[in-house]
Amino acid sequence: MSILNPQLEIALSQLAAQPGVTPAHEAQLRAAVASDARLLERLNQDAADGHLKGFALSQGGAPPNLTGTYEKASGVVTLPAGSFAPTGGVASADLIATLRLQDMSMRFAHSDYDDPANKLCRPITQVMVNNLQSTINGSPVLAQEMKKAVTPPGPGQEAPLQHFAPLSGTVAGGTYNGDTRTMSLPPTSLSTLFDSADMTFVLGHEVQHAFNHAGMTAASQSFSTETRQIAQSNNLAHDYTEPIGKLTQASRADEASAQIAGWNALLSQQQQITPSAGLDDMLRTRNFRVNDFIELNRISRSAQIRPGLTFNPDATLSPTPANIATAGLYYFDKPPKGTLGVPENQTTGIGFHGDSDYRNYYGAHAVGRAIDMERSYAQPINGLAPNMQVDMSRLGLREELMERNGIAIGKNPGTPQPYNDTSQLPPAPHRFDHTNTPAGTPNSHQHVPVVPGATGSPGVKAGDPRDPEAVQPSGTPQAQRELSPTADFSAYLDRMLAAAQSGDDASFRKMTQTLADLPPGRELRTEAVAAVDQQEQLAAQHQAQLQQAAQVSSPVMRM
């Protein structure tokens, strides 16, 4: 059993000398430290490292202090007076949770972060710590949720939240990792780009992910079971659409409920400033995240609720199944940044490059896991290798976005995974590449394009000239590539048709140019040219449909 080391003993003794401190305060603090062996171990380490040197009690007239504050220079943790009882030596659950949060803050305060712009490793600053803690203290609902998240839900169980960390390597307001129980935040959002309202919303959102982690773990386990069964099946077609869809739907509910929690945290902040704050006050925060719930009525010039949501009389939003489903529609289902005909404020830009929607952000992870199951358990059937299948359109997935997010293939990552996209008729052959690699390595978080003429497509042996999908060798000009004079263009023309129907203009143009460059007298040239005409007509029809959709869309005012 751990005991107080000399440095922590000195820090605790400092409290008695502070103004307004009674013997009851000191007794309750010591009881709180001793109540949790892990907390005691961490505080011992904080003190031994010289990061914790004393405690103080918050005084009247100071900014709100609901979860404590920490100062790096002095090493002093200031505790909220409200966490102590007037008399007695029993520590409250509130005081214990506050100490856990302050231990997290101390470890975060003395950590470093990568500065990619200047290629430097920089220390977390006091300003960043102040902004993090003032945000938590500024919203009673958020403060309560944070204290709940750092508290183990039962004997022998782990607290959902145990660490703060700087965020790098992805574009997001914040992230939560359930495996490490870590909430990560961009250092710039806590310094040069700090916005109190936005950070309140982000923290409220991310802490809800901590509470949702148990449910997401169950969904992940079900995914593993279902994908393993598919990989072990005696069918040649291994269709992973259903389990990927289920896991995506679980992520959708997770994100939507977290977004509702963000709303409630920000509302609480506004109501601490103005007790009667409601929907119009939320609109006046000019925070773009509230547009997933309310929008400006251009006639009344006041806030109006987005259809399908049901608010409580105090403007809070309960995470009912109906509200979660509707919030998912306005948040999770938004298309990726740059979608043709959709205003930018109605799109999502997250992921490694900040150009992904949520479906493809989570889809990259799910596809990588499905590939590993396929490679671990799939066996030949009557001498034929099974074929991985995914209905990309049904799932709202795009290969290029997932590869730019980073697809992690654990088994034989150097070998691309062929699959058939069953949203095309006939199914179109494609391939997933391992792109979840460190920056600077080949194909790191980049889409690996495929062109006709080489190897690697499903159902076609390596070196077979009929293969319609292969990696374009780096640095090889298109004019240097040749197609076999005995090629069977049926699969290739199906791929062209899929490109035209999906609006993939870049791929379509490459394939039509390849066919146009075939030498005179080439076998099937007439068929190829006729197919080009058909694809061009389909492409024109698709473009007209996109323009029509753009005309009927109603932009939402960005605040």
Side-chain angles (χ1 to χ4, degrees), residues 389-402:
Q389 297 188 350
V390 182
D391 189 329
M392 300 287 278
S393 178
R394 173 182 164 189
L395 296 174
L397 297 180
R398 290 168 50 186
E399 181 184 310
E400 66 272 21
L401 282 181
M402 288 191 291

Side-chain angles (χ1 to χ4, degrees), residues 150 323 387 408 473:
V150 300
N323 279 339
N387 172 250

Side-chain angles (χ1 to χ4, degrees), residues 228-401:
R228 185 183 300 109
Q229 291 172 347
I230 292 170
Q232 293 174 331
S233 71
N234 292 323
N235 299 321
L236 279 174
H238 288 180
D239 192 340
Y240 291 93
T241 304
E242 195 68 26
I244 292 175
K246 289 181 181 178
L247 188 60
T248 300
Q249 189 60 28
S251 298
R252 184 180 189 268
D254 178 24
E255 288 290 350
S257 64
Q259 195 73 344
I260 289 173
W263 167 277
N264 290 330
L266 179 55
L267 176 66
S268 175
Q269 182 208 52
Q270 295 301 301
Q271 290 179 340
Q272 177 150 283
I273 300 169
T274 306
S276 61
L279 300 183
D280 287 334
D281 298 273
M282 290 290 278
L283 203 57
R284 283 192 286 270
T285 65
R286 305 183 69 81
N287 184 272
F288 72 96
R289 302 181 196 278
V290 305
N291 295 336
D292 292 334
F293 304 94
I294 57 177
E295 55 190 341
L296 178 67
N297 185 309
R298 301 191 181 193
I299 298 176
S300 66
R301 308 304 299 175
S302 61
Q304 67 180 25
I305 298 171
R306 301 202 72 176
L309 293 171
T310 302
F311 283 83
N312 299 317
D314 61 356
T316 59
L317 196 60
S318 299
T320 63
N323 279 339
I324 289 175
T326 304
L329 174 66
Y330 295 129
Y331 180 60
F332 190 92
D333 293 351
K334 285 190 289 191
K337 184 178 179 181
T339 299
L340 183 64
V342 181
E344 184 176 346
N345 61 1
Q346 293 183 19
T347 64
T348 295
I350 59 172
F352 189 87
H353 297 282
D355 59 358
S356 178
D357 60 346
Y358 275 98
R359 290 187 182 277
N360 286 283
Y361 178 79
Y362 285 108
H365 172 71
V367 162
R369 290 179 59 188
I371 291 172
D372 284 343
M373 283 294 182
E374 179 74 6
R375 294 185 173 188
S376 296
Y377 297 102
Q379 298 294 328
I381 309 296
N382 297 324
L384 298 175
N387 172 250
M388 181 178 185
Q389 297 188 350
V390 182
D391 189 329
M392 300 287 278
S393 178
R394 173 182 164 189
L395 296 174
L397 297 180
R398 290 168 50 186
E399 181 184 310
E400 66 272 21
L401 282 181

Side-chain angles (χ1 to χ4, degrees), residues 427-451:
H430 292 269
R431 47 183 276 177
F432 293 118
D433 285 83
H434 174 67
T435 61
N436 190 12
T437 59
T441 58
N443 301 332
S444 174
H445 296 86
Q446 296 295 331
H447 172 49
V448 182
V450 289
V451 294

